[in-house]
Amino acid sequence: MNPILVVGAETVVGASLSIHLADRCDVFAASLAGRIDLVDCQVLPETGDQLSPERTVAEVRPRTVVLCGAASRSCWDPSSGKAVRAESTQKMSAWAVAANAIGAKTVFISSDAVFTGPWMFHDEEGESHCATPAALAIRKMEAAVVDACENSLIVRTNAYGWSPARTAGWLENTLALIEARRPIQLDPVRHATPILATDLAEILEKMLIEDLTGAYHVAGAERISPMGFAQRLAGQFNLPWIPARKASVQTEAPAGFGAGECSLQTRKLRRDLCIPMPLLSESLARLEAQQINGHREKLAPNATVQLRAA
C-alpha cells in the first residue's frame, strides 16, 4: 500500500489517516480546500481546483489513493450536507480513473447518511436509502469509483475527531458549548454508530494490508444519538452537563440528510478481519488523550483553539 496519496487531507478523516500512516508509509497529503499543516506528511503545494488527478498521480506514483472528500465528513456536522455537491461525482471519478491507470488501489470514504430508517442497522446491501440530494450524490460517487476501478474499496462510516483546521470543527464547537454551560439543542431521536477517526485509520490500515475490496461498513460498537453522544462527551472531559429542553413527541418519520436511522451493521468487516469494533467509552478516552499526547499538534500545529478541559 506504500506510498499512499490521501486526497481530502483537510478533513477529519483525511488528516487522521495521514498522521496515522506517516510513521510507517510515505504519505502524500492533498487538500481539496485550503492549506493544511500536517506533521510528518508530504503536503502537496497545490490545493482545490489547482490539483490535477492525472498529473498528481503521475508524479506521486502511489500504490493506494484514499479519497476523503465531503462524503467523509460526519453527517452530524451541521454543514456536511451542504458540502456534498453533485459535481463532486466527476471529480472523484477522475481520481479513481487516474489511480486505475497506474494500477493503484482506490479507497473512497463514504457516509452512513446514504441510509435512513426504518431499519435499526444497515448492512452493506441495505436498500433503505436516503433520498436527499446529498445522499444521492454520495451514492453516485460510490458507483463512479467502482466503475473506474475494479479493485476499489468503499468504506461507509461516521467518523468524529479533532479538526486539522486552524478554526474549530463541530466537535470542538460542541465541547466549547458544553464548557460554557450553555444548553445544547441536539437531536435525541436520530441514531448512528460513530467511530473515532484514529480508530477508523487503524482499521483501514488493516483493510489495506488484507487488500479488501468492495463495500464495507466501519463503525463504532454502540448506537447513539447526537444528544447522547454530547452527554457522554461531557462526562469524558469532566464538563458540566446542562440538560436541554425536551423535544416534542415525534409523529412523523424524520427527513433530511443524516436525519434518520443511520446505524451501520459491521458483521462483514468483523468476520473478514476478525476484530471487534471499538466501544464508545474507549474511543472517547483516546480522544481526550489526544489533547496531550501530541496528536492534535500534529494535525494543526498552528491551531488557535484549545479547551480548558485539556
Side-chain angles (χ1 to χ4, degrees), residues 196-309:
L196 182 63
T198 47
D199 289 346
L200 171 64
E202 289 185 7
I203 294 172
L204 183 55
E205 180 185 10
K206 292 181 174 68
M207 298 174 76
L208 292 174
I209 291 173
E210 294 298 324
D211 196 25
L212 299 185
T213 61
Y216 280 86
H217 290 172
V218 183
E222 298 176 56
R223 174 180 175 270
I224 197 168
S225 70
M227 178 64 78
F229 178 82
Q231 191 169 7
R232 294 280 295 273
L233 195 64
Q236 180 63 50
F237 283 81
N238 294 316
L239 295 174
W241 178 252
I242 308 298
R245 177 177 57 84
K246 291 185 178 180
S248 58
V249 177
Q250 190 168 2
T251 58
E252 297 181 0
F257 182 71
E261 178 62 65
C262 296
S263 300
L264 297 177
Q265 170 60 256
T266 60
R267 184 181 295 115
K268 179 181 178 183
L269 178 69
R270 288 183 281 117
R271 179 198 65 206
D272 289 355
L273 288 186
C274 298
I275 59 171
M277 296 297 99
L279 295 172
L280 184 58
S281 57
E282 299 169 342
S283 297
L284 289 179
R286 284 190 285 271
L287 176 74
E288 183 185 20
Q290 288 169 357
Q291 287 211 115
I292 58 176
N293 65 12
H295 177 77
R296 285 196 74 187
E297 291 183 1
K298 287 185 177 181
L299 287 174
N302 300 311
T304 58
V305 178
Q306 184 65 34
L307 291 173
R308 192 169 64 244

Side-chain angles (χ1 to χ4, degrees), residues 16 31 51 76 86 102 127 132 149 152 158 214 230 249-250 257 276 297:
S16 293
S31 171
L51 285 165
W76 284 2
I102 66 166
E127 297 181 353
T132 62
C149 190
S152 59
N158 185 334
V249 177
Q250 190 168 2
F257 182 71
E297 291 183 1

